[in-house]
């Protein structure tokens, strides 16, 4: 290729001027001041109408704005585990880098095989070969320009000529720009990538210990020989003949211990996993228990509902009846129930079951007994101690902590066992020697005090129920005094020496621990057996009774010094409610002095509030799911707004009270919290206000 001819200085300047003043404006450049004024337009300032008018001083005022590289969205409380200190610690360094755009791609080396294939595919192989020839021609033209003695201007002229001569060649070749098809982005969208800053920490590795040992046939043989020698020595020891039975029991105990060791290791973990599974299974019930409130109560003032929650059922208790229910005074989710049979012809074994609302699928703890359990009570200070009364007349003490299958203490015929079923037991305060004690009542007419000593249980007869008006004739015509049949009793909440006794004859006796021979007062309360007597939790003189004669009655204890009434006048209740069926149990609410609940043999539950309606229940609801199912017992939870109801099929159902059934006096906004004594006084005044309206009026109310 011949070398390019370089134009003279004057020709190059003429060409430059022509290009400046040509017809097209594509190559227009900025020249002198006169040429600039020819084509530039005058500047016109357009001012918006709502622009602020600032003074000269305000315009010159400077506002400093500091830009930092900190990321405002970066978390400041990152916690990582420190192997050195073996605990979680908050890290001081936070990554401030924020990546706005990232695109992954691939690069190919131009001499690689894949790059050649790409060149051939796009048809750029010829342009790639033509590039070295053009480079050589440009180098030759630059050398000729230097020989003619051209300075910087000459070099510029040579560059212009090269560009002019290269234009037809480029246009002819139609060179295409090679772009990376996998990592292509527009030039306008490319931003500066901040350099990455790496920070790392080195912690001390946890200590390790290496252990190695060799196992050979001789070592295995020696281990067997040592074990064989130990067995031979144990056989050589002489066995005392009187202790054969003890050794047999010890061996059985050791075998049971070794077999249960594997279970006890995972017992806690298995219980936690079981509760987690049940929490997921019964999640909808747990949500209702915590958050559900019946919205329809807003549209009805004197009505409420009971929402069924968990139903506790145990396979071994299916053919038994729930004979008593008692909440734990310490753990508000734990309830203890006793299982037995009220039918004389169907007596068998019994059960004591501890249910928790956290695991409704299986009991937390249970004890099997050889006789039906008719009642139980949980100790108020030591909630793991449970006293129980049986159908055969015995009483026993169980511990939910000790891993024993049976009772810790149990009375027999030698030490004061009752001759008839025990219908109720109740813990009392410890005596002067700090010994635990409880009371029991039975159909044999005895009310016994049981004191638990170190290794035995001692009894003392507190009172014997008698029927002075009725006497039976003996074989020789001698009149024999008949004893009353006690069915229920309850101790006063403030005066623990005062207690009520309900009998099978329908009478209610007001007794004292100080008088063992006579009663303080006697009331002909019902026509049939009294199933429950219960003092009001707030008012010291009000108590409630229920009976098989279908009624629930509320009574007031008269002052013993009051002689205004004649002796022959029969006592009348303050309130009397007819529930149209045998009433199995009644219970006062722990949050209000005017609310109580009752259950009947036809499967219904009733909730009354004397403050809202003195004649009819706020709630009358069928709880039993199957026909002919009798409800036996009801009990309020001391903390949560729920009740548990037991039936004669071994099931325990928990129900939530709607807002209308647990109305409380609204506190004023901003008022300090009310103490417990003030709450009790308010409840007494509320009940006293209702009683003042019915004391001097006929009190027979039916519902």
């Amino acid at each position: 290729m011949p070398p390019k001819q370089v134009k003279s200085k004057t020709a190059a300047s003429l060409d430059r001027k022509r290009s400046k003043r040509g017809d097209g404006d594509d190559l227009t450049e900025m020249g002198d001041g006169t040429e600039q004024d020819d084509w530039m337009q005058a500047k016109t300032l357009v001012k918006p109408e709502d622009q602020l008018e600032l003074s000269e001083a305000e315009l010159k005022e400077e506002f400093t704005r500091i830009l930092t590289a900190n990321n405002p969205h970066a978390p400041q409380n990152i916690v990582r585990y420190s192997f050195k200190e073996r605990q979680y610690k908050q890290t001081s360094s936070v990554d401030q880098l924020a990546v706005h755009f990232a695109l992954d791609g691939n690069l190919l080396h131009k001499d690689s095989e894949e790059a050649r294939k790409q060149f051939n595919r796009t048809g750029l192989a010829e342009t790639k070969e033509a590039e070295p020839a053009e480079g050589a021609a440009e180098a030759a033209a630059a050398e000729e320009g230097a020989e003619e003695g051209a300075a910087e201007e000459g070099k510029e002229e040579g560059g212009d000529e090269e560009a002019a001569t290269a234009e037809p060649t480029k246009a002819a070749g139609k060179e295409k720009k090679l772009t990376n098809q996998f990592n292509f982005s527009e030039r306008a969208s490319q931003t500066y990538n901040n350099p990455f800053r790496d920070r790392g920490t080195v912690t001390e590795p946890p200590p390790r210990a290496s252990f190695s040992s060799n196992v050979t046939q001789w070592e295995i043989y020696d281990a067997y020989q040592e074990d064989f020698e130990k067995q031979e020595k144990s056989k050589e020891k002489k066995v005392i003949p009187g202790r054969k039975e003890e050794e047999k029991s010890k061996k059985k105990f050791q075998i049971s211990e070794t077999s249960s060791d594997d279970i006890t290791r995972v017992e806690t973990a298995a219980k936690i996993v079981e509760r987690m599974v049940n929490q997921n299974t019964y999640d909808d019930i747990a949500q209702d228990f915590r958050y559900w409130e019946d919205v329809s109560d807003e549209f009805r003032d004197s009505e409420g509902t009971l929402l069924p929650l968990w139903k506790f059922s145990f396979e071994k208790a299916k053919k038994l009846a729930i004979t008593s229910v008692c909440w734990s005074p310490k753990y508000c989710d734990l309830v203890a129930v006793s299982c037995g049979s009220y039918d004389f012809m169907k007596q068998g074994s019994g059960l004591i079951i501890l249910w928790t609302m956290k695991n409704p699928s299986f009991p937390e703890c249970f004890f099997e007994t050889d006789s039906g359990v008719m009642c139980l009570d949980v100790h108020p200070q030591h909630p793991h101690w449970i006293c129980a009364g049986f159908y055969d007349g015995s009483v026993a003490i169980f511990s939910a902590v000790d891993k024993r299958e049976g009772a810790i203490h149990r009375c027999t015929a030698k030490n004061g066992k009752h001759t008839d079923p025990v219908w109720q037991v109740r813990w009392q305060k410890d005596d002067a020697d700090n010994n635990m004690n409880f009371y029991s009542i039975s159909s044999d007419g005895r009310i016994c005090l049981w004191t638990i000593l170190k290794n035995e249980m001692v009894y003392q007869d507190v009172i014997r129920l008698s029927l002075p008006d009725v006497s039976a004739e003996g074989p020789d015509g001698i009149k024999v005094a008949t004893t009353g049949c006690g069915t229920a009793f309850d101790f006063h909440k403030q005066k623990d020496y005062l207690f009520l006794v309900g009998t099978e004859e329908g009478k209610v006796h007001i007794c004292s621990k100080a008088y063992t021979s006579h009663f303080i007062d006697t009331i002909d309360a019902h026509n049939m057996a009294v199933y429950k007597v219960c003092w009001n939790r707030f008012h010291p003189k009000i108590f409630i009774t229920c009976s098989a004669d279908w009624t629930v009655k509320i009574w007031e204890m008269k002052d013993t010094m009051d002689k205004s009434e004649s002796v022959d006048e029969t006592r009348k209740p303050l309130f009397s409610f007819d529930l149209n069926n045998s009433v199995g149990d009644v219970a006062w609410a722990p949050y209000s002095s005017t609310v109580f609940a009752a259950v009947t043999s036809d499967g219904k539950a009733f909730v009354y509030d004397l403050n809202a309606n003195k004649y009819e229940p706020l709630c009358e609801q069928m709880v039993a799911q199957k026909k002919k199912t009798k409800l036996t017992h009801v009990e309020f939870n001391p903390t949560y707004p729920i009740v548990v109801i037991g039936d004669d099929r071994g099931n325990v159902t928990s129900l939530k009270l709607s807002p209308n059934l647990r109305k409380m006096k609204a506190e004023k906004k901003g008022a300090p919290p009310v103490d417990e004594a003030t709450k009790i006084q308010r409840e007494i005044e509320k009940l006293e206000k209702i009683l003042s309206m019915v004391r001097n009026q006929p009190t027979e109310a039916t519902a």
Side-chain angles (χ1 to χ4, degrees), residues 615-634:
Y615 305 104
E616 294 182 356
L618 298 188
C619 176
E620 179 183 349
Q621 187 168 322
M622 179 66 72
V623 176
Q625 296 179 354
K626 295 181 180 179
K627 292 182 178 180
K628 297 182 180 180
T629 300
K630 298 179 181 179
L631 301 184
T632 55
H633 286 276
V634 62

Side-chain angles (χ1 to χ4, degrees), residues 150-161:
E152 294 179 358
E153 294 179 359
K155 290 179 182 177
E156 291 177 0
E157 292 170 5
D160 294 338
E161 187 179 353

Side-chain angles (χ1 to χ4, degrees), residues 133-149:
E134 291 179 1
E138 291 174 359
E143 289 177 0
E144 288 182 2
E147 290 175 358
E148 290 179 1

